[in-house]
Amino acid sequence: MFPVNYFQRLRSTIGIGTTLARSRVARQQTSSTTAKARPSACWTGLIVTSGIVGYTFGTRRSVFQSLFPVPDDSEPQYGSPKEFQLAINELKHSFESEDIVSTDPEDLRIHGFSENDYHPGAPHSVVVYPRSTEDVVKIVKVATKYRMPVTPFSGGTSLEGNYRGVGGICVDMSAMDKILAIHEADSDLVCQPGVGWMDINETLQKKGKTSLLPFNAISPGATIGGMMSTGCSGTNAVRYGTAKGEWFLNATVVLPSGEVIKTRQRARKSSAGFDTTKLFIGAEGTLGIITEVTIRLAPVLPTTVAIVQFPDVKRATEAVIDVMNRGVGIQCVELCDSEFMRSTNLYGASERTYPEQDSLFFKFQGPTPTALAETAQIVKDVVKQHGGTGFELARTEREARDLWADRKNALYSGLALVEGSRGWSTDVCVPVSNLPELVYETKKDLAELGLVSTIVGHVGDGNFHALLLFRNDEELAIAREAVHRMVERAIKLDGTCTGEHGVGIGKREYLYEELGEGTVELMRVVKRAIDPLGLFNPGKLYPDKKTRITKH
């Protein structure tokens, strides 16, 4: 298939790239001052050749071992406590403003732990609040000099331990929260990573712009940097896709070497090489720190909301598949199980009392009121054929907002089911046709385990969320086991361990089973090439060998 000398040249190229990477590590570990940022040609070549081999040879680990002479996995060699203190002192000396570098114990704790998940963590050693890309470069160079881990922090809304502390530098991007430019004629904007997606939409509305951010997140507090880093999405994914789509046109990134790159220009499309922007989408801060992005916008269109009940999840899902195949204007379609509807009634925030049945919330979108009415009628006719009853279309904009607010209150209403409970929120995703089996088997499993849970799904794209309620450590352990079973079930149904929450700590053990060894090893090659010291967000995304699950 390939001439013999092809493999000789390939091995030679990879060997040269690896030697350069190794020598750079050695220089950085022994140098007392940070080296000047160097061109990244060596790791770029390594990534390109990695892609060729990964694509050609799939999941054969032995091929990677023979063709990639990279170091075996080992714990990163971090600096000593004394070196960490020297790094903190240098950071304080590097920034004149007193509020940029913090060692306040409560600040360290807040940034190192999370109330949103139940994964392990530790306080950071220092929290730094950069104001610019240049500030981030300073931080990274200090971190490299003293071999100190770096954990980016964005909106603090992650659910899988994505920013949990490891005792290093936390880079809080909240001060970099500016919209830098709005190009209305091009339908895009340039912003810093600390700005919230809801803040962007509110700003555009106040300025009277005709476009909005198309993709969204479930959490109203999510920021652009975190959304890009986790490849997240929300209810709008049915119509507009996710953060891993074409919405991010480019990104400015500070690499672990301290070098600043911009992944591409602002043109709407480009065939100039492979898409380096996507290299950082979903990388969870393990390859670089995002300091600026350009995002496409979508036109503002009228919307309205409807709700309908079904005898069971299977019929509801079949109705959605039928509706989506009609090509009508659906912006969102959400499956809410009977327990969710019961929790909404118990919570008492809604002005209405809902039938406690498996239900679908539709958000229709169209250019005119006539188009919305036509979509609503088509959907009404389709769902009726699948056993849908009680179809109700919002009569006013206020009623539509109230209906959708009841759906968005999923977390707080769900907690109303068990007094004094906490909730473990998790998600998986499968092909839409497999969603009924996933929901049915999960609900049966939860009943056998004695756990109360609400289930909400972005049913239009097969994304499935569960809020598992528990009151003590014993029930927490049961919830943890339930999540494991749910993930295993999703993967067996040709799905994923995480639809939109990211990998972080909570889901990394499943990547070998889901993606296969070849893909995971290719990810490792990229990580080693870009971050040879292993400083950027360590312990996240990439699974440990010892926790690997053998695929059935």
Side-chain angles (χ1 to χ4, degrees), residues 152 229 253-256 280 283-290 530-531 536:
S229 293
V253 184
V254 179
L255 300 176
F280 299 95
E284 300 189 15
T286 64
L287 302 180
I289 298 177
I290 299 161
I530 299 178
D531 183 20
F536 272 43

Side-chain angles (χ1 to χ4, degrees), residues 18-51:
T18 305
T19 301
L20 289 171
R22 282 173 171 165
S23 66
R24 185 173 68 175
V25 173
R27 287 197 301 273
Q28 290 173 325
Q29 288 178 331
T30 57
S31 174
S32 60
T33 57
T34 303
K36 214 170 162 185
R38 293 177 175 83
S40 53
C42 63
W43 64 258
T44 302
L46 185 58
I47 292 170
V48 174
T49 52
S50 301

